[in-house]
Each structure stands twice: as C-alpha cells, then as structure tokens.
C-alpha cells in the first residue's frame, strides 16, 4: 500500500523542482516587468542588458570625463572673487553631471560589466592634463573665471564627441538617450560659456 503514497510524493517533488527551475530560468526580456536585473549578473551582460561594447565604453569614459568636470567646478567654486554668472554655471554643471555619474555606474553594475582601466585609455579630446588642473588651481579672480570657461568649453567639446560616437555605435536605448541629452545640454552650455567669455 506504500506505492501510491510514494508515487504521490515523487510527483510532488518533481513538480516543486520544475517550478523552482522555472523561477530561476526566466529568459532575458521575459517574465515580469522589472525582474530582469536580478539575472543579469549570471547571464552574458551584452545580451541580458541589451548593452554592447560601445555602451560599456561610453559609460566608463563618460564617468571619468564627468568626474573631472566636477573637480574643475569644485576648484572654481572654492575661490573668492569669481563672477556670479560663472559660479552659477559651475553649480549647474555639478547638478547635471553628478546624477549622470550615478546613473552610469548603476548601468555598469546592472550590465555586469567590469569597467576597463581608464588609466591606459585615451579618453578623447577635452580632458585636462595635470598641468591644466594646476593652472586652474593657481588662478584667481577674473583670470580663474576666464580659464575655467576656456577649459570647460574644450572639455564639453570632448564629451559631445564621445556622446556622438555612442549615438552612432551604442545599442542600449537608455545610454543612447543619455548621449543625446549630453550633446544637447553641453552644446547649449558651450554657447553660454562663449557669451560669458566675451563679457569678462
């Protein structure tokens, strides 16, 4: 009389195993909305997150680029005697780029991407050298404001070029959307900085 009970137990165990297997093997892009992130670390990043090498490179390089822009802004904001229009611009740059850094860092984590070593990477035009950063550190007053604007215009142009490369080669829709946003916002900021330069 034990055979039916054993068969029932075996059937129940089999059903549980099947259910457990299904819950951990949701295909990429399937299942419940918002549930894909949990499986991205064990799947191929480019497939699970719809991100390709260009997306990873864009996020990694732009994080470095934004980080330096914030450092430049902080350097200027620590100075006295700076035109308030220029300090307002520096605050605007920080307010825009700090959340973008956090967003891109989150993407890299979601994509399961190991960020490449940017120390040996050509970050493109616009990045300031150590000498450039020291010059900004040492400058004062109107000279500092003018130098900041000149450097940031060059810096923005480099970011725009990087963003345009992403719009042409990227695959992840969120990353491409951010790249388009960077092109638009930083092109506008360049125009503002050029106007400011003409009045200092």
């Amino acid at each position: 009389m034990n055979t039916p009970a054993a068969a029932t137990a075996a059937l129940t165990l089999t059903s549980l195993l099947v259910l457990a297997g299904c819950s951990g093997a949701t295909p990429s892009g399937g299942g419940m909305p918002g549930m894909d992130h949990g499986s991205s670390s064990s799947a191929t990043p480019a497939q699970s997150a719809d991100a390709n090498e260009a997306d990873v490179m864009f996020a990694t390089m732009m994080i470095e680029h934004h980080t330096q822009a914030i450092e430049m802004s902080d350097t200027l904001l620590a100075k006295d005697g700076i035109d308030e229009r220029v300090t307002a611009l520096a605050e605007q740059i920080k307010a825009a780029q700090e959340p973008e850094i956090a967003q891109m860092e989150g993407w890299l984590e979601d994509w399961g991407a190991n960020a490449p070593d940017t120390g040996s990477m050509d970050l493109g035009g616009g990045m300031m050298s150590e000498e450039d950063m020291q010059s900004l550190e040492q400058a004062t007053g109107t000279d500092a404001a003018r130098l900041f604007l000149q450097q940031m215009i060059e810096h923005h142009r480099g970011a725009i070029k990087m963003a345009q490369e992403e719009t042409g080669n990227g695959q992840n829709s969120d990353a491409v959307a951010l790249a388009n946003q960077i092109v638009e916002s930083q092109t506008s900021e360049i125009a503002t900085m050029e106007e400011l330069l003409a009045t200092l």
Side-chain angles (χ1 to χ4, degrees):
M1 297 299 292
N2 290 337
T3 302
T8 300
L11 181 60
T12 302
L13 179 60
T14 301
S15 298
L16 289 172
L17 289 172
V18 169
L19 288 172
C22 289
S23 67
T26 303
S28 175
M32 296 175 60
M35 296 299 289
D36 292 339
H37 294 296
S39 61
S40 62
S41 61
S42 60
T44 303
Q47 293 176 347
S48 65
D50 190 31
N52 62 12
E53 185 177 348
D55 297 316
V56 173
M57 189 65 68
F58 165 72
T60 303
M61 293 171 66
M62 196 60 78
I63 287 170
E64 288 292 318
H65 213 263
H66 276 17
T67 298
Q68 188 178 67
I70 291 170
E71 183 182 351
M72 293 164 67
S73 298
D74 283 338
T75 298
L76 182 84
L77 291 168
K79 298 179 182 296
D80 296 323
I82 303 298
D83 188 296
E84 63 182 13
R85 297 169 300 167
V86 182
T87 58
L89 178 70
E91 292 281 10
Q92 176 182 315
I93 289 170
K94 286 188 62 179
Q97 297 194 16
E98 285 174 340
E100 289 175 356
I101 289 174
Q103 184 178 34
M104 290 183 285
E105 287 175 339
W107 289 343
L108 289 174
E109 183 177 349
D110 289 345
W111 298 341
N114 293 321
D117 178 16
T118 55
S120 59
M121 184 186 301
D122 179 9
L123 291 173
M127 288 293 287
M128 296 297 107
S129 66
E130 282 297 321
E131 291 76 14
D132 293 329
M133 297 298 286
Q134 288 174 4
S135 295
L136 181 60
E137 179 75 39
Q138 294 165 3
T140 59
T142 302
D143 288 341
R146 188 177 292 112
L147 182 58
F148 171 80
L149 292 172
Q150 291 169 340
Q151 290 181 344
M152 194 61 78
I153 287 171
E154 181 181 350
H155 203 265
H156 273 25
R157 285 174 178 157
I160 289 169
K161 182 178 178 181
M162 290 162 55
Q164 288 171 334
E165 290 174 357
E166 166 64 10
T167 61
N169 301 317
Q171 175 176 303
N172 182 273
S173 58
D174 289 336
V176 171
L178 177 60
N180 280 318
Q181 178 183 319
I182 288 171
V183 170
E184 181 179 349
S185 63
Q186 297 203 13
T187 297
S188 176
E189 287 177 349
I190 286 174
T192 298
M193 289 188 285
E194 288 175 337
E195 291 174 2
L196 287 173
L197 265 177
T199 65
L200 289 178

